């Protein structure tokens, strides 16, 4: 491990002593504002821990804290075209403060090795997720659409992997991890992290609150922590509520190291598929669990079978419901259009050979959130007006400034600003037409809220 650190300039040669610490935190260091089984620590103390391989190798990782969030997804029925809301439960598991610093630091180390490895295999433009490329999904989608336009005839294969993080095979991950750092095996510090992220343990956050008598509505601050180390050993460990991942696959999604490990896991797959696609003068893209292949010509069955076989060899499964095949061809008037299947969808956008637009489901989500936001603003105004009447003050209408900030072009970092950015990057007048009616819809919802009981 010392050799690995020396290669990166992260350790000196004086009897394994640590690099002289700088006052300015490095990119891997980030304070986290949640309460866990330990308390937050500063940059210098964190550096002494994460940059000492012996310390990391012996480190005892705390269980992850787990809670469930319910997200709503708008789904369009293929046959009827009707939109429906589908609820999806997602487990969120997050590490303690010190554990997160270790994961973050080793993610930083692994990213450097990974970048060099994919450069060796000409994968820099193919693997596009979880890398510092200074691009967004808008750019990635636009690059793919422009690539399609460059062919006279082409097939587009879009695949989605089911439960990607939950099905990462531990042995394959270990093999790819070793390959990435140019080693025959994982050094002790890397192996300790590998064990913690594959054979991870976790505890339901609300159960912890019950055991420790903590308020769910007013949880403790990060600086206070959930409990002392002594209380953890005496009050929590004996309860048997600590769950363990006993399967030989799956890593927790969302830890500071999970993203780079997902890319490392797929490196052998990426190399094989990219080489095959390149041999056919095509283009290969992978955005986490979304796979996109563009090849010239009209034949795709053999390549599709090969890709699905390679996915299976990785212990993964492609989602047949989300599989899409689109065939594009230039017509006599030299305009590109879909001649088989349907317009392709990629990273939230749709392309039919001419128009680049945002998927309709995104507008359904916007409308749902906008109406909910206006309704909440109405309830808030009603509540405040009751107090004003009691105090003999004049009532007021809905507070519109916040609504405009969230749901119109007058705000920043909302759906409308995102759509405007997409229309500019993609040079798409079609997207501008899509968002044009949204201002009137927002005004209409506000009018209804102010003029109905």
């Amino acid at each position: 491990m010392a050799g690995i650190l020396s290669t990166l300039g992260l350790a000196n040669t004086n009897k394994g002593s640590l690099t002289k610490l700088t006052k300015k935190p490095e990119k891997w260091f980030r304070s986290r504002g949640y309460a866990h089984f330990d308390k937050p620590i500063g940059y210098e103390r964190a550096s002494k821990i994460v940059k000492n391989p012996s310390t990391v190798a012996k480190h005892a990782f705390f269980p992850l804290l787990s809670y469930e969030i319910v997200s709503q997804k708008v789904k369009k029925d293929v046959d009827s075209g009707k939109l429906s809301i589908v609820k999806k439960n997602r487990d969120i598991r997050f590490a303690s403060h010190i554990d997160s610093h270790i994961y973050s630091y080793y993610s930083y180390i692994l990213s450097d090795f990974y970048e060099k490895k994919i450069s060796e295999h000409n994968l820099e433009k193919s693997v596009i997720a979880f890398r510092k490329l200074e691009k967004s999904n808008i750019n990635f989608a636009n690059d793919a659409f422009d690539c399609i336009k460059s062919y006279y005839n082409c097939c587009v294969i879009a695949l989605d992997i089911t439960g990607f993080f939950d099905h990462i095979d531990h042995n394959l991950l270990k093999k790819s991890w070793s390959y990435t750092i140019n080693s025959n095996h994982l050094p002790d510090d890397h192996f300790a992290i590998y064990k913690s992220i594959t054979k991870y343990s976790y505890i339901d956050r609300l159960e912890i609150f019950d055991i420790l008598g903590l308020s769910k509505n007013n949880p403790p601050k990060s600086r206070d922590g959930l409990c002392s180390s002594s209380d953890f050993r005496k009050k929590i460990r004996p309860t048997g509520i600590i769950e363990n991942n006993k399967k030989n696959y799956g890593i927790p999604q969302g830890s500071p190291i999970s993203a780079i490990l997902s890319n490392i896991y797929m490196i052998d797959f990426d190399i094989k598929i990219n080489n095959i696609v390149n041999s056919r003068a095509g283009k290969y893209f992978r955005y986490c669990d979304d796979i996109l292949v563009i090849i010239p010509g009209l034949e795709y069955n053999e390549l599709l079978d090969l890709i699905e076989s390679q996915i299976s060899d990785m212990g993964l499964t492609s989602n047949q419901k989300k599989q899409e095949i689109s065939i594009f061809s230039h017509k006599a008037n030299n305009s590109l259009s879909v001649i088989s299947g349907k317009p392709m969808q990629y990273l939230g956008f749709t392309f039919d050979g001419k128009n680049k637009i945002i998927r309709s489901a995104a507008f359904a989500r916007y409308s749902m959130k906008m109406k909910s936001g206006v309704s909440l603003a109405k309830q808030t105004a009603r509540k405040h007006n009751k107090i004003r009447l009691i105090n003999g003050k004049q009532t007021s209408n809905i507070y519109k400034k916040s609504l405009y900030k969230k749901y119109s072009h007058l705000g920043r970092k909302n759906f409308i600003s995102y759509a405007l950015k997409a229309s500019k990057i993609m040079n798409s007048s079609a997207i501008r037409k899509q968002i044009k009616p949204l201002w009137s819809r927002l005004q209409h919802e506000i009018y209804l809220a102010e003029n109905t009981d």
Side-chain angles (χ1 to χ4, degrees):
M1 179 62 193
I4 293 174
L5 293 177
S6 298
T7 302
L8 294 171
L10 299 173
N12 59 39
T13 56
N14 293 328
K15 298 181 181 181
S17 61
L18 300 174
T19 303
K20 184 178 180 180
L21 301 178
T22 58
K23 291 184 179 180
K24 185 179 179 180
E26 297 171 88
K27 292 181 180 180
W28 58 265
F29 180 84
R30 181 170 68 86
S31 297
R32 293 167 172 84
Y34 52 73
H36 214 289
F37 294 123
D38 62 351
K39 298 179 181 180
I41 61 173
Y43 167 66
E44 291 198 5
R45 186 183 167 197
S47 294
K48 290 179 180 178
I49 294 172
V50 305
K51 293 184 179 181
N52 190 322
S54 297
T55 300
V56 173
K58 298 174 184 176
H59 180 72
F61 289 82
F62 274 115
L64 304 171
L65 282 183
S66 174
Y67 67 97
E68 187 179 74
I69 60 171
V70 180
S71 59
Q72 292 184 334
K73 185 176 182 180
V74 179
K75 188 175 182 180
K76 186 176 182 179
D77 185 83
V78 178
D79 298 322
S80 65
K82 293 183 178 180
L83 298 174
S84 61
I85 298 174
V86 179
K87 292 185 177 181
K88 183 177 180 181
N89 297 334
R90 182 184 173 194
D91 288 325
I92 302 297
R93 292 168 183 154
F94 55 100
S96 70
H97 294 279
I98 294 177
D99 295 355
S100 291
H101 290 314
I102 292 174
Y103 289 145
S104 183
Y105 179 71
Y106 276 78
S107 174
Y108 167 74
I109 292 175
L110 290 172
S111 293
D112 190 83
F113 276 102
Y114 179 74
E115 289 297 324
K116 293 175 182 176
K117 192 63 69 175
I118 64 172
S119 179
E120 292 175 13
H121 297 281
N122 299 315
L123 284 164
E124 301 101 311
K125 294 183 179 180
S126 294
V127 182
I128 54 180
F130 310 134
R131 297 174 58 216
K132 296 178 181 178
L133 300 177
E134 297 183 354
K135 285 186 173 184
S136 68
N137 65 319
I138 300 172
N139 301 99
F140 298 139
N142 192 52
D143 290 345
F145 298 157
D146 286 345
C147 178
I148 292 170
K149 290 169 68 175
S150 69
Y151 292 102
Y152 188 80
N153 297 311
C154 69
C155 296
V156 180
I157 302 171
L159 299 172
D160 178 87
I161 296 174
T162 303
F164 182 37
F165 287 87
D166 293 335
H167 292 88
I168 288 178
D169 183 276
H170 295 167
N171 289 328
L172 292 179
L173 174 62
K174 185 180 178 182
K175 180 181 177 181
S176 296
W177 193 330
S178 299
Y179 169 73
T180 302
I181 62 174
N182 303 312
S183 176
N184 293 325
H185 66 279
L186 293 181
D188 291 343
D189 52 335
H190 283 254
F191 185 69
I193 296 170
Y194 162 78
K195 285 197 302 181
S196 74
I197 209 72
T198 54
K199 298 302 180 183
Y200 62 90
S201 59
Y202 59 96
I203 306 176
D204 185 273
R205 184 168 173 261
L206 296 182
E207 289 190 54
I208 291 293
F209 279 32
D210 288 337
I211 292 172
L212 299 175
L214 300 173
S215 171
K216 299 173 184 177
N217 299 319
N218 187 26
K221 306 294 183 183
S222 61
R223 65 176 179 269
D224 299 323
L226 293 176
C227 63
S228 65
S229 297
S230 176
D231 282 342
F232 177 79
R233 291 191 300 270
K234 294 177 181 178
K235 296 182 179 181
I236 296 174
R237 280 205 178 278
T239 62
I241 65 170
I242 300 178
E243 300 284 345
N244 296 288
N245 180 34
K246 297 179 180 179
K247 298 174 289 189
N248 60 359
Y249 57 87
I251 65 173
Q253 185 176 354
S255 82
I257 202 171
S258 295
I260 183 61
L261 290 184
S262 71
N263 274 344
I264 287 173
Y265 181 74
M266 294 294 286
I267 193 165
D268 186 57
F269 175 90
D270 291 332
I271 293 170
K272 290 178 180 177
I273 300 302
N274 189 55
N275 287 341
I276 293 168
V277 173
N278 280 343
S279 70
R280 295 187 56 172
K283 296 291 182 181
Y284 165 66
F285 302 100
R286 183 177 63 80
Y287 190 97
C288 189
D289 54 2
D290 285 326
I291 296 169
L292 188 75
V293 173
I294 305 168
I295 53 170
L298 305 178
E299 295 296 327
Y300 64 87
N301 289 311
E302 183 180 350
L303 179 58
L304 176 59
D305 291 341
L306 191 150
I307 294 171
E308 290 191 322
S309 175
Q310 290 296 319
I311 290 174
S312 179
D313 289 345
M314 297 299 296
L316 304 170
T317 307
S318 64
N319 189 336
Q320 296 297 311
K321 292 181 179 180
K322 292 186 177 181
Q323 182 184 115
E324 292 186 354
I325 307 295
S326 300
I327 299 178
F328 291 83
S329 180
H330 278 85
K331 294 182 178 179
N333 60 3
N334 205 35
S335 63
L336 184 68
S337 62
V338 183
I339 62 171
S340 179
K342 57 183 180 180
M344 68 162 293
Q345 300 186 65
Y346 189 52
L347 302 181
F349 295 89
T350 300
F351 180 59
D352 63 0
K354 179 181 179 181
N355 295 310
K356 305 170 185 177
I357 61 174
I358 298 173
R359 291 180 60 184
S360 58
F363 290 90
R365 284 195 299 271
Y366 164 82
S367 294
M368 182 177 66
K369 290 180 180 180
M370 181 266 286
K371 290 179 181 179
S372 177
V374 173
S375 176
L376 179 60
K378 178 181 179 180
Q379 294 172 36
T380 302
R382 183 181 294 168
K383 179 180 177 181
H384 289 172
N385 283 336
K386 286 182 180 179
I387 298 173
R388 290 189 182 99
L389 287 172
I390 293 173
N391 295 327
K393 295 181 179 180
Q394 187 176 359
T395 59
S396 63
N397 289 326
I398 288 175
Y399 188 57
K400 301 183 182 69
K401 186 176 180 180
S402 178
L403 293 174
Y404 291 153
K405 184 177 180 181
K406 292 179 180 178
Y407 307 111
S408 83
H409 62 282
L410 300 176
R412 298 175 61 188
K413 294 184 178 181
N414 59 27
F415 175 71
I416 305 299
S417 63
Y418 172 81
L420 288 170
K421 181 180 179 182
S423 69
K424 183 178 181 180
I425 292 174
M426 294 183 168
N427 191 26
S428 172
S429 59
I431 292 178
R432 289 190 285 274
K433 288 180 181 178
Q434 282 183 294
I435 62 175
K436 189 175 181 179
L438 299 187
W439 171 257
S440 298
R441 292 179 192 175
L442 173 60
Q443 293 293 340
H444 180 65
E445 286 298 321
I446 292 174
Y447 174 80
L448 291 177
E450 290 181 332
N451 293 277
T452 57
D453 294 330

